[in-house]
Amino acid sequence: MANTFPKILPSFSSLVFIIMILTVAVAVTTSAKHDSFFHELLFPTELGISQQDEKLTHLHFFFHDIVSGTNQTAVRVAAAPSSETSPTGFGSVVMMDDPLTETADRSSKIVGRAQGMYGSASQSELGLLMVMSFAFTEGEYNGSSLSVLGRNTVESAVREMPIVGGSGVFRFCRGYAQAKTHSIDEMEAVVEYDVYVFHY
């Protein structure tokens, strides 16, 4: 009998080890099931959309960046000490709430606002980093928005910036915006935008 006990002991240890492994496996599986709120695989049809529903929309409007005067819509909120002597204003950041209009005339119908910021991100040319939303207020796009994140080399005839997302009508969108300077003076820059987006 004394010789039997030592032979059982290793088997019992192995059994305890196996039970521990199974307990951990069950805990991980259970935890994964409880964490399903964090991630879930969906098919577009579950959200009521299909590839056949995708369309391409072209939007055309004018952006008014008013940097001084009583109707100022763009305000510098930050700058580095060296921004004052930089030929490009490198390091300065401007917050904006610019009207978007149907035509180049500022008094024409407002179709939305460009809200966000731009910063001088180049030491060698007028190159801005644009981070903004086109928040629309007219027609079927009222309450919807497009998000722009990209480089804007102001002195180029045409600048292209990516549309990285959107809301409302423009959920799941992708596309690009082309900007062309219409006019510029000490008080206001008027920029013509052509925006092309795929959306559902």
Side-chain angles (χ1 to χ4, degrees):
M1 188 74 175
N3 292 335
T4 309
F5 184 71
K7 290 180 182 175
I8 295 172
L9 191 58
S11 299
F12 180 74
S13 298
S14 299
L15 183 61
V16 169
F17 180 73
I18 290 169
I19 290 171
M20 287 175 57
I21 293 291
L22 289 173
T23 303
V24 170
V26 168
V28 168
T29 305
T30 305
S31 173
K33 286 180 182 174
H34 289 305
D35 286 346
S36 63
F37 66 90
F38 176 68
H39 62 88
E40 183 179 7
L41 180 63
L42 294 175
F43 295 97
T45 51
E46 293 178 60
L47 298 175
I49 58 177
S50 70
Q51 290 300 113
Q52 288 76 23
D53 295 330
E54 192 175 43
K55 49 190 167 278
L56 175 63
T57 296
H58 171 221
L59 301 165
H60 179 257
F61 49 82
F62 289 82
F63 163 109
H64 300 264
D65 196 48
I66 306 163
V67 297
S68 63
T70 55
N71 296 315
Q72 187 173 357
T73 62
V75 178
R76 188 166 82 165
V77 295
S82 58
S83 298
E84 302 300 329
T85 56
S86 167
T88 64
F90 178 65
S92 59
V93 178
V94 174
M95 189 67 69
M96 63 178 170
D97 180 15
D98 292 343
L100 305 175
T101 60
E102 279 189 334
T103 73
D105 184 347
R106 197 197 311 176
S107 63
S108 67
K109 186 176 187 178
I110 293 178
V111 297
R113 311 288 300 188
Q115 297 173 325
M117 66 180 84
Y118 55 84
S120 178
S122 174
Q123 298 181 67
S124 58
E125 61 183 332
L126 288 175
L128 305 177
L129 170 64
M130 306 291 292
V131 182
M132 64 179 169
S133 291
F134 293 137
F136 298 106
T137 56
E138 272 301 313
E140 65 182 292
Y141 305 121
N142 183 22
S144 298
S145 68
L146 293 171
S147 298
V148 179
L149 174 62
R151 183 171 181 257
N152 183 353
T153 51
V154 177
E155 294 176 327
S156 299
V158 180
R159 289 88 72 189
E160 187 172 298
M161 290 167 278
I163 301 293
V164 297
S167 67
V169 172
F170 298 117
R171 290 175 189 153
F172 301 113
C173 79
R174 65 193 191 284
Y176 68 96
Q178 285 187 331
K180 293 176 257 188
T181 301
H182 179 271
S183 62
I184 191 166
D185 59 34
E186 291 179 1
M187 290 185 62
E188 179 180 2
V190 180
V191 181
E192 182 178 9
Y193 271 88
D194 282 289
V195 178
Y196 300 87
V197 287
F198 281 105
H199 63 103
Y200 294 98

